[in-house]
């Protein structure tokens, strides 16, 4: 690259310059701009995004675990336009709209068991917040007001609202916003790679991990615990999959102590694991499902809390209401887009595509295990993580300075510059997260592996 070309490449575009001056970006360090130009994404097509220099980048994270059907799907945009021309907005505060009613029925049909009651939000964190509030009021209506606490898992992320953040098990994400909503407590997660309790017996490890949830319930007192929140595959910490029998045992524990089980599927639902809801794949029926992201493939914002008839029953009593809601929850345009997206997923058999290709995706990523920096590759469906280590033989992780150089300094720009958008993350140990659109196949898997190989080989130079 010539000096002139380097100058042009480093010159911020008008959108990047405007963003540096006015846009408060999420989970982003703002002090680096405008000295370091803000990356600007201008369009998407299929599994690829394009920046303001018209570089093509493979979207290895589906935006943010969202774009199941890929970018640029005209039928989803058309569904939004058609609904906006008919009815652009009306709240579901005591009213219904045809798309909201139809979507609620569709989700009830797709959910397992008798999870038939759908409360709409605009995102996942709001769905988690709603689920905790429902759990608290549910037990109050049953005459058990002391049951208000929640058990979640270490390093688990459940959202940013004050209640959802309290449920989140990542201390460094919470410290700037304390005091949080009281009543949330933690149990061990299922990170077999890092847990010395794992001795090569997955079922035994699953029993041990599930028993830690029961231990937490007993320690707090079952008469005070309202719910257990868990993701079928835990995101934060790097795609922590459930050992065999683990989720069924947690279900039994919750039943034994009259505790609601919430399956947080904000990431895991809508095909990410080859089923509409991941709890179906992993063989358990929760009392509540929280979901969002992939419901519309990101073409319009929506989320939902889906509750069982058992949970709904006390709310049907005379003069009882759930005093909670969101202005844009169940937005008619978003609901119409979600219906079109569910049609698309079914028509193109994207769930089956994931089931057919998940082994190939895992096998392709596991090729990276020959690199000294790669300690573990784990995941399920189209949701995978690569754990990076300082010393492969001892599994030693990186210190704070090394994390700074690697996770925030080198990897994001290097991966993006090499043509792959994905997520370096160190909320637990250092991982790279991958969740490609469900339309991807072996060709995209190979491209991801090649870019990751080049980038992780180069990473040795910054450590």
């Amino acid at each position: 690259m010539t000096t002139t070309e380097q100058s042009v490449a480093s010159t911020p575009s008008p959108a990047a310059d405007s963003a540096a001056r006015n846009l408060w970006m999420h989970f982003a360090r703002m002090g680096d701009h405008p000295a370091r130009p803000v990356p600007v994404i201008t369009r998407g097509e299929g599994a690829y995004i394009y920046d303001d220099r018209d570089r093509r980048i493979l979207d290895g994270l589906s935006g943010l675990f969202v774009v199941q059907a890929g970018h640029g799907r005209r039928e989803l945009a058309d569904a939004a336009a058609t609904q906006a021309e008919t009815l652009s907005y009306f709240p579901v505060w005591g009213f219904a709209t045809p798309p909201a009613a139809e979507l609620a029925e569709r989700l009830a049909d797709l959910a397992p068991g008798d999870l038939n009651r759908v409360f709409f939000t605009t995102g996942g964190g709001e769905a988690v917040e709603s689920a905790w509030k429902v759990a608290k009021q549910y037990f109050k209506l049953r005459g058990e007001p002391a049951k208000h606490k929640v058990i979640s898992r270490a390093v688990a992320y459940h959202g940013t609202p004050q209640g959802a953040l309290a449920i989140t098990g990542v201390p460094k994400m919470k410290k700037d916003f304390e005091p949080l909503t009281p009543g949330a407590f933690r149990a061990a997660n299922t990170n077999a790679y890092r847990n010395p309790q794992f001795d090569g017996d997955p079922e035994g490890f699953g029993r041990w991990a599930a028993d830690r949830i029961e231990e937490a319930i007993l320690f707090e007192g079952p008469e005070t615990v309202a719910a257990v929140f868990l993701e079928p595959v835990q995101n934060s910490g790097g795609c922590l999959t459930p050992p065999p029998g683990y989720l069924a045992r947690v279900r039994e524990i919750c039943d034994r102590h009259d505790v609601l089980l919430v399956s947080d599927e904000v990431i895991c639902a809508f095909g990410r694991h080859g089923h509409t809801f991941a709890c179906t794949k992993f063989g358990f029926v929760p009392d509540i499902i929280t979901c969002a992201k992939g419901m519309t493939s990101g073409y319009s914002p929506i989320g939902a809390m889906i509750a069982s008839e058992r949970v709904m029953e006390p709310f049907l009593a005379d003069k009882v209401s759930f005093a909670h809601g969101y202005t844009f929850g169940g937005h008619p345009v978003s609901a119409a887009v979600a219906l079109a997206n569910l049609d698309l997923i079914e028509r193109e058999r994207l769930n089956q595509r994931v089931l057919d290709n998940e082994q190939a995706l895992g096998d392709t990523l596991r090729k990276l295990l020959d690199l000294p920096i790669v300690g573990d590759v784990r995941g399920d469906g189209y949701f995978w993580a690569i754990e990076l280590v300082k010393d492969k033989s001892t599994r030693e992780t990186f210190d704070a300075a090394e994390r700074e150089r690697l996770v925030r300094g080198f990897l994001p720009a290097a991966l993006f510059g090499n043509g792959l958008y994905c997520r370096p993350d160190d909320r637990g140990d250092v991982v790279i997260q991958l969740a490609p659109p469900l339309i991807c196949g072996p060709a995209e898997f190979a491209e991801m592996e090649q870019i990751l190989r080049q980038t992780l080989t180069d990473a040795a130079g910054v450590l």
Side-chain angles (χ1 to χ4, degrees), residues 155-179:
V155 195
Y157 173 78
H158 291 282
T160 56
Q162 288 282 297
L165 188 58
I167 297 172
T168 291
V170 187
K172 65 183 178 182
M173 293 188 68
K174 303 192 284 188
K175 61 184 179 65
D176 290 334
F177 310 108
E178 292 174 331

Side-chain angles (χ1 to χ4, degrees), residues 151-152 185-188 197 207-222 224-225 228 249-250 253-254 256-257 259:
I151 308 298
S152 61
F185 302 88
R186 237 65 55 208
Q197 292 291 330
R207 288 192 298 272
W208 175 88
D211 289 347
R212 301 290 71 73
I213 290 177
E214 183 168 38
E215 182 178 73
I217 292 171
L218 292 172
F219 183 82
E220 293 301 323
T224 72
V225 179
V228 168
R249 191 173 181 88
V250 173
I253 289 167
C254 289
R256 183 156 57 244
H257 299 293
V259 171

Side-chain angles (χ1 to χ4, degrees), residues 201-278:
D201 175 12
E203 292 186 0
F205 179 62
R207 288 192 298 272
W208 175 88
D211 289 347
R212 301 290 71 73
I213 290 177
E214 183 168 38
E215 182 178 73
I217 292 171
L218 292 172
F219 183 82
E220 293 301 323
E223 71 282 2
T224 72
V225 179
V228 168
F229 278 69
L230 52 75
E231 301 159 281
V233 176
Q234 184 174 315
N235 168 32
S236 182
C239 292
L240 307 181
T241 56
Y246 168 76
L247 291 169
R249 191 173 181 88
V250 173
R251 174 73 273 180
E252 293 170 0
I253 289 167
C254 289
D255 289 342
R256 183 156 57 244
H257 299 293
D258 193 21
V259 171
L260 299 179
L261 177 56
V262 181
S263 184
D264 184 356
E265 304 205 15
V266 172
I267 288 175
C268 294
F270 306 111
R272 184 56 53 191
H273 296 281
H275 291 263
T276 301
F277 295 107

Side-chain angles (χ1 to χ4, degrees), residues 46-47 59 61-73 76 265-277 291-299 341-342 344-345 348-351 353-354 382-383 435-440:
D59 183 357
L61 202 67
S62 300
L64 194 61
F65 316 100
V66 170
V67 189
Q68 318 294 64
H71 299 275
R73 302 304 297 258
L76 301 185
E265 304 205 15
V266 172
I267 288 175
C268 294
F270 306 111
R272 184 56 53 191
H273 296 281
H275 291 263
T276 301
F277 295 107
C291 56
K293 294 186 183 288
M295 196 189 309
T296 64
S297 284
Y299 284 70
N341 182 58
L342 292 172
L344 187 159
I345 289 173
E348 298 188 3
R349 302 183 73 244
L350 294 184
N351 284 346
R353 182 177 182 82
V354 170
Y382 274 29
F383 187 29
L438 311 189
I439 59 172
C440 290

